[in-house]
Amino acid sequence: MLIFLFSVVLIGFGVYYTLMNQKLSTQKTQLKVVSRQNREFKSKITSAHNAQVPVIIKYKAPLFKEGTTKEICSLYLSPMENSPVISNIAKNIVVEIQDSAELFDIGWYEISVNSQTNINNKGWIKKVSIITQDDTINN
């Protein structure tokens, strides 16, 4: 009986080890892909702008947690105009503001949009395309 229990525990450990090893392998692969994409993106940024000027993204805590789109606008993958467009957002859509950044004197908000599928619902949008509570009070 003791040998049987030991065998079951040993088999269970073997299965657990195999599953964790597969997860680790998958995460290593994902990390390699993301690192390569990051290097490519950095070189794209550098080539898009004068190589003499360093690329500095200034992150700031956003003052507001939500806003509304002023117009139909693009949702970008990163806070750059030449970044891939994830999707377009319609006018008067309420968005959740998660972060704020400035790059090359252009203000950006990292936002998420409620959607049924949660696909392509998070990205960067220019600050000028968003109406916040401050804009509503001042106007």
Side-chain angles (χ1 to χ4, degrees):
M1 181 70 174
L2 189 58
I3 294 174
F4 175 73
L5 288 175
F6 181 73
S7 298
V8 169
V9 168
L10 191 60
I11 291 171
F13 178 73
V15 169
Y16 179 76
Y17 176 79
T18 303
L19 291 173
M20 290 301 118
N21 198 26
Q22 287 175 346
K23 283 186 177 184
L24 181 61
S25 177
T26 301
Q27 288 183 345
K28 283 181 180 179
T29 303
Q30 289 174 343
L31 182 60
K32 287 178 185 178
V33 169
V34 168
S35 294
R36 180 181 50 80
Q37 289 173 339
N38 189 31
R39 281 191 306 275
E40 289 172 359
F41 186 63
K42 282 183 178 180
S43 67
K44 188 177 182 179
I45 290 172
T46 304
S47 66
H49 293 279
N50 187 352
Q52 306 295 331
V53 179
V55 176
I56 300 172
I57 301 175
K58 299 175 190 171
Y59 290 96
K60 301 176 196 172
L63 300 174
F64 307 100
K65 293 296 180 189
E66 75 175 32
T68 307
T69 56
K70 290 181 186 178
E71 59 207 9
I72 296 173
C73 51
S74 298
L75 184 65
Y76 293 91
L77 183 61
S78 66
M80 289 187 61
E81 290 177 319
N82 63 350
S83 176
V85 174
I86 297 171
S87 65
N88 290 313
I89 301 175
K91 183 178 179 178
N92 295 326
I93 299 295
V94 176
V95 298
E96 180 184 339
I97 299 172
Q98 298 177 342
D99 205 355
S100 175
E102 186 175 308
L103 177 65
F104 302 120
D105 296 324
I106 299 173
W108 296 84
Y109 283 129
E110 182 181 27
I111 59 105
S112 64
V113 180
N114 288 332
S115 71
Q116 293 175 348
T117 62
N118 286 334
I119 296 174
N120 296 337
N121 70 331
K122 184 176 179 184
W124 291 87
I125 192 168
K126 292 180 186 179
K127 281 186 177 182
V128 296
S129 300
I130 298 284
I131 300 171
T132 59
Q133 183 180 9
D134 188 42
D135 297 330
T136 307
I137 292 170
N138 290 334
N139 290 333

